[in-house]
Amino acid sequence: MSASAFEEVMAARGKGMPQAGELEISGKDPVLSTRFRIGDTCAAVLGGVGVAVNDIWALKTGRRQRVNLDVRHAAAALKSSSYLQRPDAQGSFKDVVSADHEAMRAMTQPWPTKDGRFVLPHFGLPNLKARMLKLLECDPEPASVARAVARWDALDLEAAIDEHRVCGGMVRSHAEWLATPHGQVLAGKPIVEVIRIADSAPEPFPNAAGGAGGDRPLSGIRVLDLTRILAGPVCARTLAEHGAEVLMVTAERLPQIPEHVMDTSHGKRSCFLDLGVAQDAATLKALLKDADVFSQGYRPGMIGQLGFGADQVAALRPGIVYTSISCYGADGPFSHRGGWEQVAQTVTGICHDNNPQRPHLLPAAACDYTTGYLAAYGVMLALARRAVEGGSYHVRVSLCQSGMFIQRQGMLAQQPAPGLDLSAAELDQIRIESAPANLGPLRHLGPILRLSETPPRWIRPTPRLGGDAPHWPGAQ
C-alpha cells in the first residue's frame, strides 16, 4: 500500500495517524492488468474506513479494534459486479453477464476524432443512449460509433455532448487535465470534503452495551440512499456493512443496470418515491425527520430544484449528514456536467496514461468504487464530529477527484501481464452466498474489511427494487 495514499486519507480525519498495530494492510499491486496502483489506493481508502469505524466504536465503548485487509481483496472490490454469479439450469454458479451491458461497454470506448485526438461517448442508460445516438447520427454498434466520432474535432464534440446533456469527454493526459481551469479547482480540494453547514446540538452515539445502542458501530443510524450506479450505492452498502439501517429511494420510472443493483444493494431496503410528485416528496420529508444521513447523486444543483438541496435538508432535519456524489465535483466550470466512471478516467488522464499509444480504460471501475468508499468514510467522520460537536454536515466527493487521487500514487515500472486477476481460490475466500427472495441464490463478494470485534456483514439480502414500504422499520 502507498504510505502517501493513506496519509492523504488520514489528513481528512484531522487526528493524525492511527496507533501502531491498529491497522494492518498486506499485499501490493499489481493485482489487475494496469500500471496504476489501484489496489493499493483502494486499500488505503478502505483502511481509512476501518479507522473511522474504530473512532465511532471508541465513542460508543471506549475500545478500539484491530483492522486488517488485503490489497488483492481491495482490488477485487473495484470490480465486484464482475464476480457476481447465479446458478444455471443445472445448478452450477455462473458469472452474471448481461448482453445489453456488454454491448454498452463495447461502444463506450475512446474513439479517434478528425483532429487526431480521442473522445469517449457514453451509452450507459437507454435515455442517454438514445440522445447520444441522435447527436452522433449513428447506429448502436461500435463501427458506426467510430465512424461518427471521426467526423468531429475532439473539443467540438465534447462541447456538443455538454450542450445536449449527455455524457462523454475528450481524452486528456493528466498534465493537460491539471492545466484546465477545472483541474486546477479540484487540485485545491481534499479527496473528501466534510463541511459544517449548520449548527445543532450534539447527537452522541448510544452505548453499545445493549438496547438502542446495538452491537455494531452504526447501529441506530438511518440512511436515505437516493443514488444509482455506482459510487453512491457503494457508499450506502458500506454503511450497511457496519450496522446502519439503509432505505434506498428511487422512482419506478428511472432506469437501472440490474447487475449493479444486485451487487450494491446488500443490506438495504428499497422503496419507490418520485420527488416530482408532491405526495411522494412529502413522504420523503417525513422520512427525513428520523434520518441521520441523506445521500444523493444528482447533478450539482438539480436536487435543490426539487426541495432537497443541502441547506434545505439541513433546515428540515438539523444534524443531518448530507452527502453529494458527482462526476466533476461541486465547483468549477465542468461541475454541471453529468458523468460516469469511464468519463472520469477519460478526462483526468487515466485513460491516456494507461496506454499513451491508444487510450485504454482500466480493467476495473476504480474511480466509482474508490469514490463510494471515500463517501462512506466522510459520512463516518461527520457522524463522529456530530456526536461530539453537534452540527449538520455536507460530505462531498467526486469521480474526477478520485481519479486525480489515483494518479498521485504514481505507476508501476512495468506493465503487468494481460488478463491478470484474482485466482478462483482467492475469490472463494471473499465470495459469499445469499438467497434474496426475489432473485434466488446469489454468489457475490462479501465485505473486504476485517474487524476484530464487529465483523462487517449485511443483515438483509439484496432487495427487490420498490419492494418495501417507505417507512423506517418499527414505524407505524
Side-chain angles (χ1 to χ4, degrees):
M1 183 196 72
S2 168
S4 60
F6 187 65
E7 289 168 356
E8 191 169 344
V9 172
M10 286 293 97
R13 177 173 173 251
K15 298 180 180 179
M17 301 293 278
Q19 294 181 357
E22 178 174 320
L23 172 65
E24 179 184 353
I25 300 180
S26 58
K28 63 179 181 179
D29 277 316
V31 183
L32 305 174
S33 299
T34 175
R35 290 178 60 206
F36 281 103
R37 303 176 188 273
I38 56 176
D40 288 334
T41 306
C42 184
V45 175
L46 284 169
V49 169
V51 173
V53 170
N54 243 353
D55 288 344
I56 291 172
W57 192 241
L59 287 171
K60 296 183 75 164
T61 68
R63 303 189 303 273
R64 300 189 73 84
Q65 306 187 51
R66 295 187 305 279
V67 183
N68 65 79
L69 69 147
D70 191 305
V71 168
R72 296 186 65 79
H73 298 168
L78 297 173
K79 51 178 293 188
S80 63
S81 62
S82 299
Y83 305 120
L84 192 66
Q85 293 185 327
R86 299 175 73 181
D88 61 14
Q90 289 72 44
S92 299
F93 278 96
K94 302 293 183 183
D95 292 344
V96 175
V97 179
S98 163
D100 288 343
H101 193 57
E102 291 301 306
M104 179 278 290
R105 292 175 62 182
M107 294 190 295
T108 303
Q109 298 291 332
W111 302 107
T113 56
K114 183 171 64 176
D115 56 351
R117 301 293 299 248
F118 287 82
V119 165
L120 180 142
H122 205 285
F123 299 88
L125 292 171
N127 57 326
L128 297 176
K129 174 183 175 181
R131 297 211 307 265
M132 181 63 80
L133 292 173
K134 182 178 180 181
L135 169 62
L136 294 176
E137 298 181 333
C138 68
D139 297 323
E141 54 90 14
S144 183
V145 173
R147 290 192 297 270
V149 171
R151 295 194 292 265
W152 290 79
D153 285 338
L155 281 174
D156 290 342
L157 180 52
E158 184 177 73
I161 286 171
D162 178 22
E163 181 181 352
H164 285 75
R165 295 185 62 77
V166 285
C167 300
M170 182 181 77
V171 173
R172 292 169 172 83
S173 69
H174 190 51
E176 286 179 315
W177 172 251
L178 291 177
T180 66
H182 196 86
Q184 292 168 10
V185 168
L186 290 186
K189 294 179 175 292
I191 53 174
V192 54
E193 298 177 272
V194 182
I195 305 164
R196 184 170 175 143
I197 57 174
D199 294 332
S200 65
E203 298 186 35
F205 291 99
N207 294 331
D215 62 351
R216 306 178 67 192
L218 296 183
S219 293
I221 296 298
R222 289 173 166 175
V223 179
L224 289 169
D225 177 17
L226 280 75
T227 66
R228 291 182 294 158
I229 320 162
L230 183 62
V234 168
C235 169
R237 186 188 70 182
T238 304
L239 299 175
E241 287 178 21
H242 299 285
E245 178 67 51
V246 178
L247 179 61
M248 299 163 56
V249 179
T250 189
E252 189 170 7
R253 61 181 171 80
L254 293 177
Q256 302 275 358
I257 296 177
E259 50 265 57
H260 287 329
V261 174
M262 279 189 276
D263 191 54
T264 61
S265 302
H266 315 312
K268 307 177 186 179
R269 296 167 60 250
S270 172
C271 71
F272 286 142
L273 292 174
D274 190 331
L275 302 193
V277 176
Q279 183 175 348
D280 285 4
T283 299
L284 183 61
K285 288 179 180 178
L287 287 166
L288 180 60
K289 292 178 181 179
D290 293 316
D292 299 280
V293 179
F294 184 97
S295 179
Q296 62 87 21
Y298 287 69
R299 294 190 192 210
M302 295 298 295
I303 199 169
Q305 298 176 22
L306 298 170
F308 293 94
D311 291 339
Q312 294 164 314
V313 168
L316 290 166
R317 198 303 194 190
I320 196 73
V321 175
Y322 187 100
T323 308
S324 295
I325 301 167
S326 63
C327 180
Y328 289 94
D331 304 304
F334 292 171
S335 61
H336 65 283
R337 298 182 179 184
W340 297 66
E341 167 74 36
Q342 297 92 336
V343 178
Q345 290 189 35
T346 296
V347 299
T348 62
I350 289 176
C351 198
H352 173 277
D353 297 346
N354 197 36
N355 185 350
Q357 287 71 43
R358 176 63 163 88
H360 194 70
L361 293 166
L362 293 173
C367 297
D368 253 326
Y369 284 93
T370 300
T371 301
Y373 291 129
L374 281 169
Y377 174 60
V379 167
M380 293 183 199
L381 296 181
L383 288 170
R385 285 184 58 183
R386 186 187 74 168
V388 177
E389 307 169 17
S392 299
Y393 295 87
H394 193 175
V395 176
R396 303 197 306 199
V397 292
S398 72
L399 305 186
C400 286
Q401 184 67 272
S402 294
M404 295 167 69
F405 178 49
I406 291 168
Q407 286 272 10
R408 285 195 290 275
Q409 310 319 312
M411 302 179 74
L412 301 169
Q414 295 183 334
Q415 177 68 34
L420 200 63
D421 207 334
L422 277 75
S423 68
E426 287 178 301
L427 288 172
D428 285 343
Q429 295 176 10
I430 53 176
R431 199 149 46 188
I432 62 176
E433 292 185 20
S434 62
N438 58 302
L439 293 172
L442 195 64
R443 183 180 288 171
H444 54 85
L445 292 192
I448 300 303
L449 269 180
R450 301 289 182 263
L451 299 172
S452 59
E453 285 192 54
T454 61
R457 67 188 191 277
W458 299 297
I459 63 171
R460 294 189 178 93
T462 295
R464 175 171 58 86
L465 279 176
D468 296 288
H471 60 63
W472 297 111
Q476 297 299 320

